[in-house]
CSV table of all heavy atoms in Angstrom, one decimal:
chain,number,residue,atom,x,y,z
S,17,VAL,N,-16.4,9.8,0.5
S,17,VAL,CA,-16.6,11.0,1.3
S,17,VAL,C,-15.7,12.1,0.8
S,17,VAL,O,-16.1,13.3,0.7
S,17,VAL,CB,-16.3,10.7,2.8
S,17,VAL,CG1,-16.2,12.0,3.6
S,17,VAL,CG2,-17.4,9.8,3.4
S,18,ALA,N,-14.4,11.8,0.4
S,18,ALA,CA,-13.5,12.8,-0.1
S,18,ALA,C,-14.0,13.3,-1.4
S,18,ALA,O,-13.9,14.6,-1.6
S,18,ALA,CB,-12.1,12.1,-0.3
S,19,ALA,N,-14.6,12.5,-2.3
S,19,ALA,CA,-15.2,13.0,-3.5
S,19,ALA,C,-16.4,13.9,-3.3
S,19,ALA,O,-16.5,14.9,-4.0
S,19,ALA,CB,-15.6,11.8,-4.4
S,20,LEU,N,-17.2,13.6,-2.3
S,20,LEU,CA,-18.4,14.4,-2.0
S,20,LEU,C,-17.9,15.8,-1.4
S,20,LEU,O,-18.4,16.8,-1.8
S,20,LEU,CB,-19.3,13.7,-1.0
S,20,LEU,CG,-20.2,12.6,-1.5
S,20,LEU,CD1,-20.9,11.9,-0.4
S,20,LEU,CD2,-21.1,13.2,-2.6
S,21,VAL,N,-16.9,15.8,-0.6
S,21,VAL,CA,-16.4,17.0,0.0
S,21,VAL,C,-15.8,17.8,-1.1
S,21,VAL,O,-16.0,19.1,-1.2
S,21,VAL,CB,-15.4,16.7,1.1
S,21,VAL,CG1,-14.7,18.0,1.5
S,21,VAL,CG2,-16.2,16.2,2.3
S,22,ALA,N,-15.0,17.2,-2.0
S,22,ALA,CA,-14.4,17.9,-3.1
S,22,ALA,C,-15.4,18.5,-4.0
S,22,ALA,O,-15.2,19.6,-4.5
S,22,ALA,CB,-13.4,16.9,-3.8
S,23,ALA,N,-16.5,17.8,-4.3
S,23,ALA,CA,-17.5,18.3,-5.2
S,23,ALA,C,-18.2,19.5,-4.6
S,23,ALA,O,-18.5,20.5,-5.2
S,23,ALA,CB,-18.5,17.2,-5.5
S,24,GLY,N,-18.4,19.4,-3.3
S,24,GLY,CA,-19.0,20.6,-2.6
S,24,GLY,C,-18.1,21.8,-2.6
S,24,GLY,O,-18.6,22.9,-2.9
S,25,ILE,N,-16.9,21.6,-2.3
S,25,ILE,CA,-15.9,22.7,-2.3
S,25,ILE,C,-15.8,23.3,-3.7
S,25,ILE,O,-15.7,24.5,-3.9
S,25,ILE,CB,-14.6,22.3,-1.7
S,25,ILE,CG1,-14.7,22.0,-0.2
S,25,ILE,CG2,-13.5,23.3,-2.0
S,25,ILE,CD1,-13.5,21.4,0.4
S,26,ALA,N,-15.7,22.4,-4.7
S,26,ALA,CA,-15.6,22.9,-6.1
S,26,ALA,C,-16.9,23.7,-6.5
S,26,ALA,O,-16.8,24.7,-7.2
S,26,ALA,CB,-15.4,21.7,-7.1
S,27,GLY,N,-18.0,23.2,-6.1
S,27,GLY,CA,-19.3,24.0,-6.4
S,27,GLY,C,-19.2,25.3,-5.8
S,27,GLY,O,-19.6,26.3,-6.4
S,28,ILE,N,-18.8,25.4,-4.6
S,28,ILE,CA,-18.7,26.7,-3.9
S,28,ILE,C,-17.7,27.6,-4.6
S,28,ILE,O,-17.9,28.8,-4.8
S,28,ILE,CB,-18.4,26.5,-2.4
S,28,ILE,CG1,-19.5,25.9,-1.7
S,28,ILE,CG2,-18.0,27.9,-1.8
S,28,ILE,CD1,-19.2,25.4,-0.3
S,29,ALA,N,-16.6,27.0,-5.0
S,29,ALA,CA,-15.5,27.8,-5.7
S,29,ALA,C,-16.1,28.4,-7.0
S,29,ALA,O,-15.8,29.5,-7.4
S,29,ALA,CB,-14.3,27.0,-5.9
S,30,GLY,N,-16.8,27.5,-7.8
S,30,GLY,CA,-17.4,27.9,-9.0
S,30,GLY,C,-18.4,29.0,-8.8
S,30,GLY,O,-18.5,30.0,-9.6
S,31,MET,N,-19.2,28.9,-7.8
S,31,MET,CA,-20.3,29.9,-7.5
S,31,MET,C,-19.6,31.2,-7.1
S,31,MET,O,-20.1,32.3,-7.6
S,31,MET,CB,-21.2,29.4,-6.4
S,31,MET,CG,-22.3,30.4,-6.0
S,31,MET,SD,-23.1,30.0,-4.5
S,31,MET,CE,-21.8,30.2,-3.3
S,32,LEU,N,-18.6,31.2,-6.3
S,32,LEU,CA,-17.9,32.4,-5.9
S,32,LEU,C,-17.3,33.1,-7.1
S,32,LEU,O,-17.3,34.3,-7.2
S,32,LEU,CB,-16.9,32.1,-4.8
S,32,LEU,CG,-17.5,31.8,-3.4
S,32,LEU,CD1,-16.4,31.4,-2.5
S,32,LEU,CD2,-18.3,33.0,-2.9
S,33,HIS,N,-16.7,32.3,-8.0
S,33,HIS,CA,-16.0,32.8,-9.2
S,33,HIS,C,-17.1,33.4,-10.1
S,33,HIS,O,-16.8,34.5,-10.7
S,33,HIS,CB,-15.3,31.7,-9.9
S,33,HIS,CG,-14.2,32.2,-10.8
S,33,HIS,ND1,-13.1,33.0,-10.4
S,33,HIS,CD2,-14.1,32.1,-12.1
S,33,HIS,CE1,-12.4,33.3,-11.4
S,33,HIS,NE2,-12.9,32.8,-12.5
S,34,ARG,N,-18.2,32.8,-10.2
S,34,ARG,CA,-19.3,33.3,-11.0
S,34,ARG,C,-19.9,34.6,-10.4
S,34,ARG,O,-20.2,35.6,-11.2
S,34,ARG,CB,-20.4,32.3,-11.1
S,34,ARG,CG,-21.5,32.6,-12.0
S,34,ARG,CD,-21.1,32.6,-13.5
S,34,ARG,NE,-22.3,32.9,-14.3
S,34,ARG,CZ,-22.4,33.9,-15.1
S,34,ARG,NH1,-21.4,34.7,-15.3
S,34,ARG,NH2,-23.5,34.1,-15.8
S,35,MET,N,-20.0,34.7,-9.1
S,35,MET,CA,-20.5,35.9,-8.5
S,35,MET,C,-19.5,37.0,-8.6
S,35,MET,O,-19.9,38.2,-8.5
S,35,MET,CB,-20.8,35.6,-7.0
S,35,MET,CG,-22.0,34.7,-6.7
S,35,MET,SD,-22.2,34.2,-5.0
S,35,MET,CE,-22.4,35.8,-4.2
S,36,ASP,N,-18.3,36.7,-8.8
S,36,ASP,CA,-17.2,37.7,-9.0
S,36,ASP,C,-17.3,38.3,-10.4
S,36,ASP,O,-16.6,39.3,-10.7
S,36,ASP,CB,-15.9,37.1,-8.7
S,36,ASP,CG,-14.8,38.1,-8.5
S,36,ASP,OD1,-15.1,39.2,-8.0
S,36,ASP,OD2,-13.7,37.9,-8.9
S,37,GLY,N,-18.1,37.8,-11.3
S,37,GLY,CA,-18.3,38.3,-12.6
S,37,GLY,C,-17.7,37.5,-13.7
S,37,GLY,O,-17.6,38.0,-14.9
S,38,ALA,N,-17.2,36.3,-13.4
S,38,ALA,CA,-16.6,35.5,-14.5
S,38,ALA,C,-17.6,34.9,-15.3
S,38,ALA,O,-18.8,34.7,-14.9
S,38,ALA,CB,-15.7,34.4,-13.8
S,39,SER,N,-17.3,34.5,-16.5
S,39,SER,CA,-18.2,33.8,-17.4
S,39,SER,C,-18.4,32.4,-16.9
S,39,SER,O,-17.7,31.9,-16.0
S,39,SER,CB,-17.6,33.7,-18.8
S,39,SER,OG,-16.4,33.0,-18.9
S,40,VAL,N,-19.4,31.7,-17.4
S,40,VAL,CA,-19.7,30.3,-16.9
S,40,VAL,C,-18.6,29.4,-17.3
S,40,VAL,O,-18.2,28.6,-16.4
S,40,VAL,CB,-21.1,29.9,-17.6
S,40,VAL,CG1,-21.3,28.4,-17.2
S,40,VAL,CG2,-22.2,30.7,-17.0
S,41,PRO,N,-18.0,29.4,-18.5
S,41,PRO,CA,-16.9,28.5,-18.7
S,41,PRO,C,-15.7,28.8,-17.8
S,41,PRO,O,-15.0,27.8,-17.4
S,41,PRO,CB,-16.5,28.8,-20.2
S,41,PRO,CG,-17.7,29.3,-20.8
S,41,PRO,CD,-18.4,30.1,-19.7
S,42,ALA,N,-15.4,30.0,-17.5
S,42,ALA,CA,-14.3,30.3,-16.6
S,42,ALA,C,-14.6,29.8,-15.2
S,42,ALA,O,-13.7,29.3,-14.5
S,42,ALA,CB,-14.0,31.8,-16.6
S,43,ALA,N,-15.9,29.9,-14.7
S,43,ALA,CA,-16.2,29.4,-13.4
S,43,ALA,C,-16.2,27.9,-13.4
S,43,ALA,O,-15.7,27.3,-12.4
S,43,ALA,CB,-17.6,29.9,-13.1
S,44,CYS,N,-16.6,27.2,-14.4
S,44,CYS,CA,-16.5,25.8,-14.5
S,44,CYS,C,-15.0,25.3,-14.5
S,44,CYS,O,-14.7,24.3,-13.9
S,44,CYS,CB,-17.2,25.2,-15.7
S,44,CYS,SG,-19.0,25.4,-15.6
S,45,LEU,N,-14.2,26.1,-15.2
S,45,LEU,CA,-12.7,25.7,-15.2
S,45,LEU,C,-12.2,25.9,-13.8
S,45,LEU,O,-11.4,25.0,-13.4
S,45,LEU,CB,-12.0,26.7,-16.2
S,45,LEU,CG,-10.5,26.4,-16.4
S,45,LEU,CD1,-10.3,25.0,-17.1
S,45,LEU,CD2,-10.0,27.5,-17.3
S,46,ARG,N,-12.5,26.9,-13.1
S,46,ARG,CA,-12.0,27.1,-11.7
S,46,ARG,C,-12.6,26.1,-10.8
S,46,ARG,O,-11.9,25.6,-9.9
S,46,ARG,CB,-12.5,28.5,-11.2
S,46,ARG,CG,-12.0,28.9,-9.9
S,46,ARG,CD,-10.5,28.9,-9.7
S,46,ARG,NE,-9.9,29.7,-10.7
S,46,ARG,CZ,-9.3,30.9,-10.5
S,46,ARG,NH1,-9.2,31.3,-9.2
S,46,ARG,NH2,-8.7,31.6,-11.4
S,47,ALA,N,-13.8,25.7,-11.0
S,47,ALA,CA,-14.4,24.6,-10.2
S,47,ALA,C,-13.7,23.3,-10.4
S,47,ALA,O,-13.4,22.5,-9.5
S,47,ALA,CB,-15.9,24.5,-10.4
S,48,GLY,N,-13.4,23.0,-11.7
S,48,GLY,CA,-12.7,21.8,-12.0
S,48,GLY,C,-11.3,21.7,-11.4
S,48,GLY,O,-10.8,20.7,-10.9
S,49,ALA,N,-10.6,22.8,-11.5
S,49,ALA,CA,-9.3,22.9,-10.9
S,49,ALA,C,-9.3,22.7,-9.4
S,49,ALA,O,-8.5,22.1,-8.8
S,49,ALA,CB,-8.6,24.2,-11.3
S,50,THR,N,-10.3,23.3,-8.8
S,50,THR,CA,-10.5,23.2,-7.3
S,50,THR,C,-10.8,21.7,-7.0
S,50,THR,O,-10.2,21.2,-6.0
S,50,THR,CB,-11.6,24.1,-6.8
S,50,THR,OG1,-11.3,25.4,-7.2
S,50,THR,CG2,-11.8,24.0,-5.3
Side-chain angles (χ1 to χ4, degrees):
V17 168
L20 285 174
V21 169
I25 292 173
I28 291 169
M31 180 191 66
L32 289 174
H33 200 62
R34 183 74 176 119
M35 288 173 60
D36 195 35
S39 63
V40 174
C44 289
L45 184 65
R46 180 61 53 111
T50 303

